Amino acid sequence: LHPGGDFEAMAVWLDAHQDAMASIHTTPSCIRLCDVTGDGDPKLLVADQNRKLRLYKGINLVSEHALLDTPSAICPFFEEKRGDGPRVPSLAVACGQFIFIYKRLRPHYKFTLPALPVHEDEAAIWKGIWDKSIPDDDAYDRLAALVETGVVVTHQSLDLLAVDEATDRPAAIESCHGKLPAHSTTITCMESINKNSDDESATSCLIVGTEHKQLVILDATNFAILVKVALPSPPVFICPQGLLDIEYRLAVACRSGVIHMVKNGQLLSTSIELEAQPCAMAISGKNLVAGDIGHVLHSFGLKGKKNYSVHLPAAIQCIETMCVDKLASTVLQLVALANGEVRLYKEKVLMSTITCNDVVSAMRFGKYSREDNTLVMAFKSGSLAIKILSRNSNFSKTSVEGGPPPEQDIPLNIPKKTKLYVEQTQREKDHCVDMHRIFQRDLCKLRLNAARAYVKVLTEGQGLMSYTSAASLRLNVEVQGLGPKFRAIVTLTNTGTKHNGDLQLIVKYNTNMYSCQK
C-alpha cells in the first residue's frame, strides 16, 4: 500500500491470503460472493474459463464442478419463498445460449433462450437451394442483398457468404445439406434485480443480454419472459437499479460505445455516448461509473448528466463498488489497472493505491466468511489474493485533496509601496484627462503616418501589388523559396473592361547577385 498522505487518513488493507497456485482464469462477470449452501457463511464462487465451477470457503477449495461450456457470466438470485426455512439463493450460470440453474450447488434446471425467427426470404432461398429451383450463384447474390438491407441472417447463411470463390460454393452448400437455417444466440451479460423488496434475500429476477441485441428479464419461478427490449447494439454490461414491480431503471452499455437507459421495460431516447468502447461499468450510489478503453473513468448521473472524468495511466481491467458505511451512504470505487495497480476512488479523489506484482483480471468486494469488508482478487497468472479492510480505516480524509492547489493560499511577496510610486500614482489621478487626450492624439498621428506610408508604397510600385493609371492593370508578384534558388510567380490581372495586348514585362534586378533564366 502506497499512501499519499497521513497514514491515519488512508484505507489500510490487511493481507489475509495469497495463493499463487490457485490456477484461476476468470472474468469480472464470473466471480461472486454469496451463501449458496445456506449455512450463513458467504462463499467465493468462481466460474473458470476452463469450464469449472469452484467453491471456496475461507482459504480452502471446497468443491469443483464441471461445466458443459465456457461460462460467460454467473449470477445468484432468490426464487419465491417456499416454507419457513432459511432462504438459500440459486446460482445461474450462463454458457452459450443456455442458463444452468444450481440449487445448493446441485444441477436443478436448464433454460434455453428462445431463438429468433428466421426471415421469410432467407428460408425461401434455402428451400430453393434444396429444391434445386435456385442456382447457387443466384442464391449467393440474394443472401448478400438481404444482408445489405439490414436483415439479420443465420450463421449458415453467413458461412456461405464468407466463400468468395464461386467454385467453392457448391461444396459449402453440400456441407450443410438438409439443414434448415436457424438462429443460435449467445448470452453476453447477466445480472439480477429484486422484484418487490429491497431486502438482500428478496425475490429477484434475472436480466439477460444476448448477442442478437436483446435484453430479456426472466421470472425466477418458471423462467417465463417478462420483459423483452430490443437494443441498437449487443449489450456487454448491465447495471440495474430499483424494483421490478414498482419502478426500475437499467443502464446497458453496448458494444458500440453507447450506454442506453431502459426504464420500466421501455428504451429511453436519452443515451450516454462514450469516447471509446466500454470495458467496465458499475452503479455507485446514485451515479453510474463507466470505464472505456481510452484509459478514462467517467461518472454520470442516471439521467445522463456527466459528473466528471478521470484520466488513468493504464488500461482499466474491472471496476467494483465498495460500500463501507451504509448509514452514511459512503460508496467508493475500486479500479483495477493493467499496470498492476488497484486504485480506490471516492468520487474523483484518489484515496489509496494497492500495487500488485500481477494484473488483476477480476475482483469482488463484500462480506466473505466472517469479515464484512473483504476484497477478493483473481490475477491473470491464475493466482488468488484476499485482503481485508482495516477497521481503523478513515475515509473522511483523502490522500489527494480536491479543489484548488494548496499553493493558491500562499500570499505573493509584493514589494512595499515607495514614495516615488505614490507620487506617480497621484500625478496620474490629477492629470488623467490630459493624459488620455495626448494618448488619443498620438494614436491618430500613428495611424495617419501608417496610411501615408502605405499609399506611397502602392504608388511607387514597391509593394506586392502595383497599379497603373494608364490602363486597368494589376501586377502581383509571389516569391516561392528561400534561396539560394527561388521562383518569382508574376500575375497580371486586367481589372477593366477594355482589352489590353502587346504588353512587355521588364524584370530589373542586380546582376551581380542574381541570375535570371529567360
Side-chain angles (χ1 to χ4, degrees):
L1 177 70
H2 296 278
D6 295 336
F7 185 79
E8 297 179 356
M10 302 307 301
V12 180
W13 296 96
L14 304 177
D15 293 331
H17 177 62
Q18 182 79 27
D19 187 4
M21 306 300 293
S23 186
I24 295 177
H25 303 280
T26 184
T27 59
S29 60
C30 293
I31 181 171
R32 297 282 181 169
L33 295 174
C34 63
D35 179 19
V36 293
T37 57
D39 58 356
D41 191 6
K43 315 294 190 306
L44 172 62
L45 284 165
V46 179
D48 200 282
Q49 296 300 301
N50 297 326
R51 301 182 181 182
K52 294 180 180 179
L53 180 62
R54 299 182 178 183
L55 176 67
Y56 285 87
K57 182 178 180 180
I59 61 176
N60 300 319
L61 177 62
V62 177
S63 62
E64 190 174 84
H65 308 269
L67 299 176
L68 299 180
D69 200 353
T70 303
S72 58
I74 62 173
C75 182
F77 67 99
F78 287 89
E79 299 181 1
E80 294 287 346
K81 187 175 182 180
R82 299 175 182 177
D84 298 332
R87 305 199 65 181
V88 179
S90 300
L91 182 66
V93 181
C95 299
Q97 60 179 342
F98 306 106
I99 300 178
F100 298 95
I101 308 300
Y102 290 83
K103 281 189 174 182
R104 296 182 183 270
L105 286 184
R106 294 179 180 178
H108 174 68
Y109 182 71
K110 184 180 78 170
F111 174 77
T112 305
L113 284 177
L116 293 177
V118 182
H119 197 269
E120 297 178 357
D121 295 340
E122 183 184 2
I125 292 172
W126 280 102
K127 184 178 180 181
I129 292 176
W130 304 138
D131 297 342
K132 303 298 181 180
S133 59
I134 301 178
D136 296 344
D137 295 339
D138 191 10
Y140 180 88
D141 296 337
R142 291 187 183 183
L143 290 175
L146 280 180
V147 175
E148 291 179 357
T149 56
V151 177
V152 180
V153 298
T154 60
H155 292 286
Q156 184 173 329
S157 299
L158 293 176
D159 293 340
L160 178 58
L161 293 175
V163 181
D164 296 332
E165 297 294 335
T167 57
D168 299 336
R169 292 170 190 169
I173 294 175
E174 188 64 26
S175 63
C176 54
H177 180 71
K179 296 181 181 179
L180 295 177
H183 284 288
S184 60
T185 185
T186 303
I187 298 174
T188 58
C189 50
M190 184 172 59
E191 285 292 339
S192 64
I193 182 173
N194 288 0
K195 196 171 183 181
N196 48 25
S197 177
D198 287 331
D199 295 339
E200 294 182 358
S201 60
T203 304
S204 55
C205 298
L206 291 177
I207 308 172
V208 180
T210 66
E211 188 69 30
H212 282 163
K213 308 175 184 179
Q214 284 189 344
L215 195 68
V216 180
I217 300 180
L218 303 176
D219 191 359
T221 303
N222 54 8
F223 292 92
I225 297 178
L226 302 178
V227 179
K228 182 183 292 186
V229 181
L231 300 173
S233 178
V236 290
F237 299 104
I238 303 174
C239 290
Q241 189 185 51
L243 302 176
L244 184 64
D245 291 345
I246 301 176
E247 184 179 7
Y248 66 94
R249 185 186 295 264
L250 306 177
V252 185
C254 296
R255 199 170 293 158
S256 60
V258 181
I259 300 176
H260 297 278
M261 296 295 176
V262 178
K263 183 178 181 181
N264 298 332
Q266 300 294 327
L267 181 63
L268 302 181
S269 58
T270 58
S271 59
I272 303 172
E273 186 172 356
L274 300 178
E275 299 175 358
Q277 279 71 26
C279 59
M281 189 173 69
I283 288 284
S284 178
K286 297 182 179 180
N287 298 323
L288 179 68
V289 180
D292 58 24
I293 60 176
H295 308 180
V296 183
L297 182 68
H298 305 279
S299 175
F300 302 92
L302 293 179
K303 294 185 178 180
K305 183 180 179 181
K306 187 173 183 179
N307 298 327
Y308 58 85
S309 294
V310 179
H311 293 266
L312 301 174
I316 300 174
Q317 300 296 313
C318 52
I319 298 175
E320 176 69 9
T321 56
M322 176 176 164
C323 184
V324 179
D325 189 359
K326 295 183 179 180
L327 298 178
S329 300
T330 303
V331 181
L332 299 94
Q333 301 90 38
L334 285 162
V335 184
L337 303 181
N339 59 358
E341 293 182 352
V342 179
R343 296 191 171 194
L344 178 62
Y345 283 95
K346 183 179 180 181
E347 294 182 351
K348 60 179 179 180
V349 180
L350 178 63
M351 302 292 292
S352 66
T353 302
I354 303 175
T355 303
C356 306
N357 297 326
D358 197 0
V359 179
V360 177
S361 60
M363 62 180 177
R364 283 288 174 180
F365 179 85
K367 186 177 180 180
Y368 182 53
S369 189
R370 298 180 181 179
E371 292 292 334
D372 293 334
N373 301 319
T374 306
L375 177 62
V376 180
M377 297 181 293
F379 298 92
K380 283 191 174 182
S381 62
S383 60
L384 178 68
I386 301 176
K387 293 181 180 294
I388 300 174
L389 186 66
S390 174
R391 294 178 176 85
N392 297 326
S393 302
N394 185 10
F395 296 102
S396 60
K397 298 181 181 181
T398 61
S399 61
V400 181
E401 298 290 343
E407 290 80 8
Q408 182 173 325
D409 298 331
I410 301 176
L412 298 177
N413 188 13
I414 302 175
K416 296 182 180 180
K417 297 180 181 179
T418 61
K419 183 179 180 181
L420 179 62
Y421 172 78
V422 175
E423 293 177 354
Q424 180 72 11
T425 304
Q426 187 63 35
R427 187 181 70 85
E428 292 178 357
K429 291 181 180 179
D430 297 340
H431 303 86
C432 58
V433 178
D434 296 337
M435 294 175 62
H436 180 69
R437 288 176 180 175
I438 294 173
F439 173 76
Q440 291 293 332
R441 183 190 63 187
D442 295 342
L443 182 61
C444 291
K445 286 183 178 181
L446 178 62
R447 292 175 177 174
L448 179 61
N449 293 333
R452 287 176 177 175
Y454 180 69
V455 171
K456 183 179 179 182
V457 168
L458 294 179
T459 53
E460 294 181 357
Q462 298 179 0
L464 295 177
M465 295 185 183
S466 180
Y467 298 87
T468 177
S469 59
S472 300
L473 297 176
R474 183 176 63 187
L475 183 66
N476 183 22
V477 180
E478 182 180 358
V479 179
Q480 290 185 348
L482 299 177
K485 293 183 179 181
F486 60 89
R487 178 181 299 175
I489 300 177
V490 180
T491 304
L492 185 63
T493 307
N494 186 3
T495 60
T497 58
K498 295 181 180 180
H499 175 71
N500 294 312
D502 298 333
L503 300 178
Q504 294 182 356
L505 180 64
I506 300 176
V507 181
K508 184 180 179 182
Y509 58 91
N510 189 354
T511 58
N512 296 327
M513 297 179 61
Y514 303 102
S515 62
C516 179
Q517 297 180 359
K518 297 183 180 179

